[in-house]
């Protein structure tokens, strides 16, 4: 009998050990209320027991550190109360339940704005998460605009798809021509009463092609494609950092589906003017303001 009990205890311990190992293999997602107003909105639910936003943020940061110490990969998702209420209504869930919040966070993790936790302080993590959410919302809005343009009345071609192909071609020509270094690109497109912005970071070795995340490239090309399709007066700015040389800033304006180089003076004026007030901004030391380089006039291959 004693032998049987000992064997059973050994099995339970082995099972516990395996479950702990599996738990470390399973990723975690933490939903974060970054805004005090969003936090206040969630306090209307009785099952949401936090009372102070600052204390809540401290507790979330402690949880993230604990998960990281356990060797678990954790992502942080932006928790939006309005989206949560809509999610519960559509899914037939009771919003005043912890399980409903867990399901919503899992949904956001699969399709929404997330940031991987790598030990960042919460004050660093929040701006990253907000920036990611803004970028994703911009991408979705730009995609919706392109999808709603329909087909060309003359040639029958999908306008949005053709514009995206053209924008992707322009982006690759720009990166190919920019040469080696670390590149930071900003695309600005005025659309109605809004300003669509896309940012892209990439690097290129002396002998290789530019390295960029596919999602960032698609976001940038989509915003640029909106300008191509709608023939807006947007522009692109490129800042290149390379070893042992000053940073170089180049610029282009969008005109009829092409990026036309700005002069060095136009680049200086654009880069040294406050976008909100129009007031001059002091130029940075160690930065050269250069004319945009010619990207050529060739067209992308036709989409099949």
């Amino acid at each position: 009998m004693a032998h049987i009990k000992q064997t059973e205890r050994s099995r339970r311990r082995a099972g516990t050990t395996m479950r702990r190992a599996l738990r470390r293999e399973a990723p975690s997602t933490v939903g974060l209320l970054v805004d005090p107003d969003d936090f206040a909105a969630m306090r209307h639910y009785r099952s949401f027991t936090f009372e102070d936003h600052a204390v809540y943020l401290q507790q979330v940061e402690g949880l993230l550190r604990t998960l990281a110490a356990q060797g678990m990969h954790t992502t942080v998702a932006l928790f939006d109360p309005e989206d949560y209420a809509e999610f519960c209504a559509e899914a037939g869930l009771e919003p005043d339940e912890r399980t409903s919040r867990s399901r919503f966070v899992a949904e956001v993790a699969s399709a929404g704005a997330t940031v991987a936790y790598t030990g960042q302080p919460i004050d660093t993590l929040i701006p990253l998460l907000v920036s990611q959410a803004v970028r994703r919302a911009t991408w979705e809005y730009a995609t919706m605009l392109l999808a709603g343009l329909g087909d060309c009345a003359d040639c029958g071609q999908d306008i949005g798809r053709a514009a995206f192909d053209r924008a992707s071609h322009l982006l690759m020509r720009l990166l190919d021509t920019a040469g080696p270094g670390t590149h930071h690109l900003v695309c600005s497109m005025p659309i109605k009463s809004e300003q669509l912005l896309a940012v892209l970071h990439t690097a290129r070795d002396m002998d290789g092609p530019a390295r960029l995340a596919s999602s960032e490239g698609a976001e940038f090309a989509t915003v640029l494609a909106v300008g191509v399709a709608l023939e807006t007066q947007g522009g692109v700015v490129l800042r290149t950092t390379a070893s042992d040389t000053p940073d170089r800033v180049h610029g282009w304006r969008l005109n009829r589906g092409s990026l036309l180089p700005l002069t060095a003076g136009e680049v200086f004026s654009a880069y040294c003017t406050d976008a909100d007030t129009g007031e001059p901004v002091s130029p940075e030391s160690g930065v050269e303001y250069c004319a945009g380089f010619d990207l050529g006039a060739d067209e992308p291959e036709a989409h099949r």
Side-chain angles (χ1 to χ4, degrees):
M1 180 66 71
H3 175 70
I4 294 175
K5 290 182 178 180
Q6 179 65 33
T7 301
E8 184 62 29
R9 284 196 293 269
S10 297
R11 287 176 178 173
R12 286 199 296 268
R13 284 196 296 269
T16 300
T17 300
M18 285 188 289
R19 284 192 295 272
R20 287 174 178 169
L22 287 171
R23 184 70 185 93
R24 289 192 292 270
E25 296 284 339
S28 294
T29 305
V30 176
L32 181 61
L33 293 155
V34 302
D35 186 82
D37 291 337
D38 290 344
F39 178 84
M42 292 303 296
R43 289 199 62 209
H44 294 302
Y45 300 119
R46 287 183 297 177
S47 61
F48 187 81
T49 56
F50 292 96
E51 298 180 355
D52 182 89
H53 189 232
V55 173
Y56 161 81
L57 293 178
Q58 292 172 1
Q59 293 298 317
V60 170
E61 186 169 23
L63 172 62
L64 293 172
R65 289 175 177 172
T66 299
L67 294 173
Q70 295 172 352
M72 297 176 60
H73 174 74
T74 305
T75 56
V76 182
L78 185 69
F79 196 107
D80 185 287
E82 292 185 4
D83 290 345
Y84 172 63
E86 292 178 5
F87 171 79
C88 290
E90 292 175 358
L93 299 175
E94 169 54 55
D96 201 357
E97 294 284 350
R98 293 182 178 88
T99 54
S100 299
R101 292 196 288 274
S102 295
R103 286 185 58 176
F104 174 69
V105 170
E107 181 78 12
V108 172
S110 65
T114 61
V115 171
Y117 178 70
T118 58
Q120 311 98 316
I122 197 74
D123 290 342
T124 301
L125 189 63
I126 288 176
L128 290 174
L129 190 56
V130 171
S131 175
Q132 181 70 7
V134 171
R135 284 180 51 189
R136 188 168 191 88
T138 300
W139 187 12
E140 291 175 351
Y141 178 62
T143 300
M144 180 189 68
L145 287 176
L146 291 177
L149 294 177
D151 297 335
C152 175
D154 295 327
C155 66
Q157 191 175 26
D158 185 312
I159 298 173
R161 184 54 186 267
F164 182 82
D165 288 345
R166 176 61 181 166
S168 299
H169 173 74
L170 290 172
L171 174 59
M172 295 313 300
R173 283 300 303 267
L174 196 156
L175 294 176
D176 287 342
T177 313
T182 299
H183 304 300
H184 175 82
L185 296 94
V186 178
C187 176
S188 176
M189 294 294 152
I191 306 297
K192 299 178 181 178
S193 59
E194 299 187 49
Q195 190 84 7
L196 297 186
L197 290 174
V199 178
L200 176 64
H201 299 275
T202 183
R204 182 179 176 186
D205 297 328
M206 186 67 68
D207 300 323
R211 304 186 302 273
L212 69 159
S214 58
S215 59
E216 285 193 8
E219 291 170 12
F220 193 95
T222 301
V223 171
L224 179 57
V226 171
V228 170
L230 301 182
E231 297 188 351
T232 61
Q233 299 299 312
V236 172
V237 172
L238 165 69
R239 179 166 179 160
T240 298
T241 301
S243 57
D244 302 324
T245 61
D247 282 11
R248 305 186 309 277
V249 178
H250 304 266
W252 297 261
R253 69 177 183 275
L254 183 64
N255 183 57
R256 296 183 178 274
S258 295
L259 288 174
L260 304 182
L262 297 176
T263 66
E266 289 172 326
V267 173
F268 179 89
S269 177
Y271 215 80
C272 299
T273 302
D274 188 287
D276 295 324
T277 65
E279 295 296 321
V281 177
S282 299
E284 295 182 56
S285 60
V287 175
E288 295 181 354
Y289 300 93
C290 311
F293 39 82
D294 185 19
L295 300 180
D298 59 317
E299 297 292 333
E301 295 182 4
H303 176 71
R304 296 180 181 178

